[in-house]
């Protein structure tokens, strides 16, 4: 659910959507964890297209071990072609036993605790590397020219379908890349913790087998998906922090807009004063030019102040300041062209300069 908040700053309306009590489906999907029952019938088995992975690959996933014995196996491909156990006893590629039993001291995460596992390899480097929590745990050299076989089954939750070495733990964010990841890239994936499931943007194009697609596959036995409560909390806190940042930005926008509105009001006031001053200057210049040019005194009535307007007391007083022969008998006369011409004729076309 979401809460919609409306902020009002005249004349601006801003809508901000805040997260509610639940985590959005689009967020929780990335944090879906698979829990496998500790038995031979609980697993996911499928046959992916491995053609892009035959000469180079990397596997990364998060594991929460819940069992201590029988070398629990989170995943295996083509049986012995590629598999590992969560206690570190087995880390095999191409059925090689060179790492058997040599890395257990690096797989010391307590039962019930999440840890990150990555393994990388390429035909060019001929080096199979195993990382635990972003740190190199061990490596082995592979035979020259040996490629990863295609056509095999990838099994999650067991070494083989309905066989021993079943997992009985929890798994999150299993992905395979068509690239031999660097130590820095592995460390980046591991550093955020199991609730940080976003793949670095520069690696997304290499992701061939994707966790979100695995979650859609059919399952055998008791394989359950759930959202780790810790991840739910992390997502909620992240959403709240994001919302707080957005609110801070909106408040800054409000403050900036308020300052701009005050400035605009001041500019409008200044402009209005300048406009009034200009109108007064224009009026004075128009009347002055009419008086100074070679015209009769009556031509002043063609100016906007008088033309087509009734001659009133205020207009009379205005003219008296510079023209003492104006008569109050003109009160009520509309200054049309006919009236002005008549007054010119009566007065004998006396010019303003003769006064």
């Amino acid at each position: 659910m979401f809460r919609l908040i409306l902020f009002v700053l005249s004349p601006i309306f801003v809508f901000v959507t805040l997260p509610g009590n639940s985590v959005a489906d689009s967020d929780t999907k990335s944090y879906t964890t698979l829990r496998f029952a500790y038995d031979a019938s609980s697993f996911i088995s499928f046959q992916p297209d491995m053609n892009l992975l035959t000469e180079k690959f990397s596997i990364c996933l998060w594991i929460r071990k819940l069992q201590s014995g029988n070398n629990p196996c989170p995943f295996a491909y083509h049986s012995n072609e590629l598999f590992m156990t969560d206690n570190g006893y087995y880390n095999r590629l191409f059925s090689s036993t060179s790492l058997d039993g040599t890395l257990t001291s690096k797989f010391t995460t307590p039962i019930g605790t999440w840890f990150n596992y990555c393994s990388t390899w390429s035909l060019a480097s001929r080096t199979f590397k195993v990382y635990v929590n972003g740190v190199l745990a061990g490596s082995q050299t592979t035979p020259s020219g040996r490629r990863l076989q295609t056509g095999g089954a990838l099994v999650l939750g067991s070494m083989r379908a309905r066989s021993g070495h079943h997992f009985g733990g929890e798994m999150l964010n299993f992905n395979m890349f068509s690239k031999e990841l660097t130590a820095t890239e592995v460390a980046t994936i591991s550093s955020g913790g199991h609730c940080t499931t976003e793949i670095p943007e520069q690696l997304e194009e290499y992701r061939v087998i994707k966790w979100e697609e695995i979650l859609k596959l059919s399952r055998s036995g008791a394989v359950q998906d759930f959202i780790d409560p810790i991840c739910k909390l992390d997502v909620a806190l992240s959403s709240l922090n994001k919302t707080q940042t957005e609110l801070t930005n909106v408040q800054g926008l409000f403050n900036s807009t308020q300052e701009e509105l005050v400035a605009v009001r001041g500019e409008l006031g200044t402009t209005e004063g300048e406009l009034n001053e200009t109108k007064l200057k224009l009026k004075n210049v128009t009347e002055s030019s009419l008086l100074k040019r070679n015209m009769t005194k009556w031509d002043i009535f063609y100016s906007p102040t008088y033309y087509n307007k009734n001659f009133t007391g205020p207009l009379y007083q205005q003219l008296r300041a510079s023209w003492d022969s104006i008569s109050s008998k003109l009160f009520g006369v509309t200054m049309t062209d006919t009236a002005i011409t008549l007054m010119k004729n009566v007065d004998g076309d006396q010019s303003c300069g003769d006064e």
Side-chain angles (χ1 to χ4, degrees), residues 286-303 344 349-355:
T286 301
E287 295 177 356
S288 176
S289 63
L290 284 171
L291 291 170
K292 291 179 180 179
R293 292 168 60 186
N294 188 22
M295 297 179 180
T296 69
K297 62 186 177 182
W298 303 105
D299 285 314
I300 196 171
F301 290 110
Y302 285 111
S303 67
K344 283 183 178 183
D349 286 332
Q350 185 177 5
S351 68
C352 292
D354 295 334
E355 279 296 311

Side-chain angles (χ1 to χ4, degrees), residues 218-336:
S218 60
R219 307 167 188 178
S220 175
V223 181
Q224 299 176 327
D225 53 11
F226 70 100
I227 307 297
D228 190 328
I230 294 177
C231 293
K232 280 187 177 181
L233 180 60
D234 280 0
V235 172
L237 289 175
S238 176
S239 297
L240 287 174
N241 289 336
K242 182 179 179 180
T243 300
Q244 181 62 47
T245 300
E246 291 172 346
L247 288 175
T248 300
N249 292 338
V250 169
Q251 184 62 51
L253 174 63
F254 288 163
N255 294 339
S256 176
T257 303
Q258 183 64 46
E259 292 172 359
E260 291 173 358
L261 287 175
V262 171
V264 168
R265 290 192 186 103
E267 291 174 0
L268 287 175
T270 301
T271 302
E272 185 177 3
E274 292 173 348
L275 180 59
N276 291 334
E277 182 179 352
T278 300
K279 290 168 75 175
L280 180 59
K281 288 180 179 179
L282 180 60
K283 172 185 173 183
N284 294 336
V285 167
T286 301
E287 295 177 356
S288 176
S289 63
L290 284 171
L291 291 170
K292 291 179 180 179
R293 292 168 60 186
N294 188 22
M295 297 179 180
T296 69
K297 62 186 177 182
W298 303 105
D299 285 314
I300 196 171
F301 290 110
Y302 285 111
S303 67
T305 302
Y306 309 103
Y307 193 66
N308 279 333
K309 297 179 182 177
N310 287 336
F311 194 72
T312 62
L315 293 179
Y316 170 74
Q317 293 298 330
Q318 184 175 333
L319 283 176
R320 286 280 296 173
S322 59
W323 186 8
D324 56 11
S325 64
I326 192 69
S327 174
S328 61
K329 293 180 181 180
L330 295 175
F331 286 3
V333 174
T334 301
M335 292 302 164
T336 63

